Amino acid sequence: MLTMRRTIGDEALLSKTLLEITDVAYSAFYESISAQGRALALTQPDVSDLSLTPSHVVLDHVQILREIMGVYQSSFLEGEDENEQVAGFEKILDIMVDPAIELVTAPHRESSRLGAKWDQPVYVLNSLSYIETALEPFSFTRAKGASIKTLIEGQVSSLIEEHYENIMVDAHLHQVAEVCSNHKGDEPLSRIPTMQPAELQVVLRKFSIWLSSPDVVEPPRLSQLTVQQLRTKIHQTALERVAHAYGTICEEVKKPQNKYEAASTLLGGERPFGQIHLLRQIFGIDDE
């Protein structure tokens, strides 16, 4: 069309006819992909599918988008301005990508087929990562990809927080760490029931046992995340916070005003023996 207009001019009958045909084709195309998006929004979740990977409807939808992006990229003219390329596809991305994002993030839709509370954020993260990966090879999708990355970062932050809380419970440090964090100094820690030496020794023994469990290396809650990099980031960040919490407990126990007799002996009786650097080694975390 552009070549024809340059050859015979905009006012030529053939150019006008081709422009009208092009407008009709564009209208039909946009209506087609809009209908695709509307159909996606009305899709009922498959309750028999218990996997946490993107659903078949999302996979099919993204595959259609991938094919459209490939065709669009192949139509570029040599030396064509990149801003024009981006502007030419922006509407298509909004029509195709936004309904997919809405489907996988809506808590009352796709999540109705999921089980445990932990499943929903994992499913959302897997689905958003899949969509982002599909857009990544195409330079004209960067803005939309950046918006998806922001959503992914929000999901990762939420998972880190929840994963940390779960680890603290599994490792039996949750209650002790909470008492230490909220301690105002009005009463020595050693006088508080949950922080008395005998009770604290039991907690430290349970923590030591947990340190020998496979969950430290391969947490089952994260096993269904499809992106290894995100699994590592979530787990390592949560473990960093666990190490910090253990360090806070040790600091509080060692304070003279908390009146623990032989505090070093109490802490040193169980792994990691009150040694933060040793705990970080067990966690596979580089020293700060």
Side-chain angles (χ1 to χ4, degrees):
M1 179 65 195
L2 182 60
T3 302
M4 185 66 70
R5 290 169 62 186
R6 287 174 176 173
T7 303
I8 64 176
D10 292 342
E11 298 304 317
L13 179 60
L14 181 57
S15 291
K16 291 181 178 180
T17 301
L18 288 174
L19 181 60
E20 292 175 359
I21 294 173
T22 301
D23 288 342
V24 171
Y26 272 123
S27 296
F29 170 71
Y30 282 123
E31 175 55 34
S32 175
I33 61 175
S34 296
Q36 174 83 13
R38 292 192 296 269
L40 192 68
L42 297 174
T43 300
Q44 294 299 316
D46 181 3
V47 294
S48 66
D49 182 6
L50 300 180
S51 69
L52 302 185
T53 53
S55 61
H56 290 300
V57 291
V58 173
L59 294 176
D60 292 343
H61 185 78
V62 173
Q63 180 58 33
I64 293 172
L65 174 60
R66 188 181 282 113
E67 292 171 1
I68 294 173
M69 291 188 293
V71 171
Y72 182 71
Q73 182 168 264
S74 68
S75 70
F76 293 163
L77 298 174
E78 184 176 352
E80 185 175 354
D81 183 70
E82 186 173 339
N83 291 330
E84 292 182 2
Q85 296 172 3
V86 171
F89 205 74
E90 190 172 22
K91 182 178 178 180
I92 297 173
L93 285 175
D94 290 341
I95 293 174
M96 291 290 289
V97 175
D98 291 356
I101 292 175
E102 183 178 351
L103 176 67
V104 302
T105 57
H108 63 286
R109 293 303 315 267
E110 284 278 277
S111 60
S112 63
R113 70 185 179 90
L114 305 177
K117 174 187 175 183
W118 187 260
D119 289 351
Q120 169 65 7
V122 171
Y123 170 77
V124 171
L125 193 50
N126 285 341
S127 299
L128 290 177
S129 298
Y130 179 78
I131 298 171
E132 183 196 27
T133 300
L135 299 182
E136 197 170 16
F138 304 96
S139 61
F140 50 86
T141 66
R142 286 172 187 161
K144 183 65 72 175
S147 66
I148 296 175
K149 188 178 292 292
T150 299
L151 293 175
I152 289 174
E153 290 171 353
Q155 288 291 322
V156 168
S157 296
S158 297
L159 277 175
I160 288 172
E161 182 64 32
E162 190 167 351
H163 188 45
Y164 165 71
E165 294 292 339
N166 286 331
I167 288 177
M168 291 294 285
V169 171
D170 293 344
H172 305 280
L173 291 181
H174 179 73
Q175 190 173 11
V176 170
E178 188 173 357
V179 172
C180 288
S181 297
N182 298 325
H183 185 234
K184 303 300 182 182
D186 300 332
E187 181 182 12
L189 273 178
S190 60
R191 305 292 188 268
I192 298 174
T194 56
M195 295 297 296
Q196 292 177 1
E199 284 74 10
L200 183 57
Q201 188 174 32
V202 171
V203 169
L204 294 174
R205 183 176 299 117
K206 290 180 178 179
F207 179 52
S208 176
I209 293 171
W210 178 81
L211 288 176
S212 299
S213 71
D215 291 5
V216 175
V217 179
E218 292 290 341
R221 294 187 188 92
L222 299 180
S223 62
Q224 295 200 68
L225 273 175
T226 55
V227 180
Q228 175 64 43
Q229 185 179 3
L230 294 180
R231 285 206 303 267
T232 300
K233 179 179 180 179
I234 292 168
H235 191 47
Q236 289 293 297
T237 304
L239 291 179
E240 284 269 11
R241 294 182 59 184
V242 173
H244 179 75
Y246 179 77
T248 299
I249 295 170
C250 293
E251 289 174 5
E252 292 295 324
V253 170
K254 291 176 181 177
K255 287 180 179 179
Q257 61 266 36
N258 284 322
K259 300 186 182 302
Y260 283 98
E261 296 182 5
S264 296
T265 302
L266 175 61
L267 294 171
E270 302 287 348
R271 292 173 75 217
F273 315 114
Q275 304 296 316
I276 308 304
H277 73 278
L278 178 57
L279 180 58
R280 295 178 67 84
Q281 288 178 8
I282 295 171
F283 286 163
I285 302 172
D286 295 333
D287 287 336
E288 296 176 325

